[in-house]
């Protein structure tokens, strides 16, 4: 038994070491990832339930690692936040999104918007708003084509500074969305104190919405509240037709999730929107 215990203990620490080694290696590789252009934005369409058209897509970053293949954001965004590299990654995301909007400007997707994700750490950079303005100007993209999704940490830490940054961004014409609404602190004061255009209801309320009355009641109440404040509602993680119908009946404005499409490369999104009669 002692032997066993010792072996399993060793196995456990090796597992932890492996993970730590992988983390350290990834962090080292992150330093060169930008120089070598290893990031890519995948786009997930958002369906407007009023028009049944896709007029926007969320940009979700992936890392095409030369040895490890496609790495999802949860494996490197937290690392990049710790090391501070997130600032440069965020700048790259802004540029890449504006470049994509510019590529669409004169074609059938000229009305598309792109929503990017920005974490609290990225707002630490006082130059962020100027950088976004420069990117919009460089690619001659209308600010109203760009949305920024923010999670709640932005509304509870460095409130004065963040409100300032977000007001400047909003004054440019960029749309602001609260991401993952309903998990975490969810203070209604954000809706009063920040210039919010959209509220994204977290997937955890949508997953069981057709079976769980509480989730439906909360989603309905949040939607009504948002609408009364002039804020549009996006439901995240919609995976079934039943959920879509349900959300339509709750007057939800936009749905996003695997039912419409997984996040895909831009060229795939173009094909999807061209060939799918639904949109
Ligand atoms: P998020 O902003 O909440 O993004 C939604 C996540 O849910 C995405 O995961 C998306 O692929 C996934 N998803 C979408 N529809 C469905 C669905 O119907 N069912 C299920 N089960 N999942 C769905 P992903 O791409 O792995 O991104 C994870 C998180 O990484 C994002 O959560 C966001 O917080 C962060 N992230 C992604 N891109 C960026 C970025 O460019 N910058 C920053 N700072 N964070 C990013
Ligand atoms: Ca998001
Ligand atoms: Ca989200
Ligand atoms: Ca999330």
């Amino acid at each position: 038994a002692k032997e066993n215990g010792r072996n399993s203990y060793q196995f456990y620490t090796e597992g932890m070491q492996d993970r730590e080694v992988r983390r350290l290696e990834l962090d080292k590789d992150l330093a060169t990832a930008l120089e070598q252009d290893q990031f890519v934005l995948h786009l997930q369409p958002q369906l407007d339930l009023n028009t049944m058209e896709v007029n926007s897509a969320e940009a979700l970053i992936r890392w095409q690692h030369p040895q490890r293949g496609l790495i999802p954001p949860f494996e490197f965004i937290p690392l990049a936040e710790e090391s501070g590299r997130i600032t440069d990654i965020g700048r790259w995301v802004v540029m890449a999104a504006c470049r994509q909007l510019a590529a669409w400007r004169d074609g059938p997707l000229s009305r598309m918007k792109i929503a990017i994700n920005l974490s609290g750490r990225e707002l630490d950079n006082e130059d962020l708003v100027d950088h976004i303005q420069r990117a919009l100007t460089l690619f001659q993209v209308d600010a109203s084509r760009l949305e920024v999704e923010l999670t709640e940490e932005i509304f509870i830490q460095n409130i004065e500074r963040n409100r300032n940054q977000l007001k400047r961004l909003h004054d440019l014409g960029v749309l602001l969305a609260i991401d993952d609404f309903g998990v975490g602190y969810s203070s209604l004061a954000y809706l009063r104190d920040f210039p919010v255009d959209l509220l994204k209801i977290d997937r955890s309320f949508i997953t069981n919405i057709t079976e769980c009355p509480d989730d439906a009641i909360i989603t309905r109440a949040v939607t009504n509240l948002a609408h009364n404040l002039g804020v549009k509602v996006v439901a995240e993680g919609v995976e079934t037709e039943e959920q879509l119908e349900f959300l339509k009946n709750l007057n939800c404005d936009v749905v996003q999730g695997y039912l419409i499409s997984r996040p895909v490369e831009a060229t795939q999104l173009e094909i999807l929107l061209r060939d799918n009669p639904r949109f």
Side-chain angles (χ1 to χ4, degrees), residues 58 117 149 179 200 236:
E58 178 175 3
N117 291 279
E149 298 190 359
D179 206 351
K200 298 189 75 175
E236 295 192 286

Side-chain angles (χ1 to χ4, degrees), residues 59-99:
L60 295 154
I61 195 170
R62 276 93 181 89
W63 179 7
Q64 292 171 308
H65 192 285
Q67 282 86 40
R68 298 177 195 267
L70 208 62
I71 303 182
F74 72 86
E75 284 201 53
F76 66 90
I77 292 289
L79 268 181
E81 284 176 340
E82 275 172 44
S83 65
R85 289 191 224 286
I86 189 70
T87 306
D88 288 333
I89 295 176
R91 287 164 157 266
W92 178 86
V93 169
V94 168
M95 283 292 169
C98 289
R99 187 182 297 117

Side-chain angles (χ1 to χ4, degrees), residues 22-149:
R22 181 178 158 93
R23 262 173 57 92
L24 289 172
E25 282 179 2
L26 280 183
D27 189 50
K28 187 164 60 63
D29 294 349
L30 263 181
T32 51
L34 273 169
E35 292 161 30
Q36 301 186 1
D37 209 24
Q38 292 170 1
F39 293 111
V40 62
L41 290 183
H42 281 189
L43 298 167
Q44 187 176 37
Q46 300 177 325
L47 179 68
D48 186 320
L49 291 177
N50 297 308
T51 60
M52 291 310 268
E53 277 175 25
V54 171
N55 290 321
S56 55
E58 178 175 3
L60 295 154
I61 195 170
R62 276 93 181 89
W63 179 7
Q64 292 171 308
H65 192 285
Q67 282 86 40
R68 298 177 195 267
L70 208 62
I71 303 182
F74 72 86
E75 284 201 53
F76 66 90
I77 292 289
L79 268 181
E81 284 176 340
E82 275 172 44
S83 65
R85 289 191 224 286
I86 189 70
T87 306
D88 288 333
I89 295 176
R91 287 164 157 266
W92 178 86
V93 169
V94 168
M95 283 292 169
C98 289
R99 187 182 297 117
Q100 184 62 64
L101 287 166
W104 283 336
R105 198 181 39 225
D106 300 318
L109 299 187
S110 63
R111 289 164 51 100
M112 283 287 281
K113 295 177 198 165
I114 292 183
I116 60 169
N117 291 279
L118 291 181
S119 62
R121 200 52 215 278
E122 295 177 69
L123 283 190
D124 290 346
N125 173 17
E126 297 284 349
D127 183 50
L128 177 73
V129 179
D130 289 334
H131 179 78
I132 291 175
Q133 183 160 31
R134 282 195 297 271
L136 292 167
T137 306
L138 180 67
F139 290 103
Q140 296 178 35
V141 167
D142 198 296
S144 64
R145 298 271 160 238
L146 190 67
E147 283 174 20
V148 168
E149 298 190 359

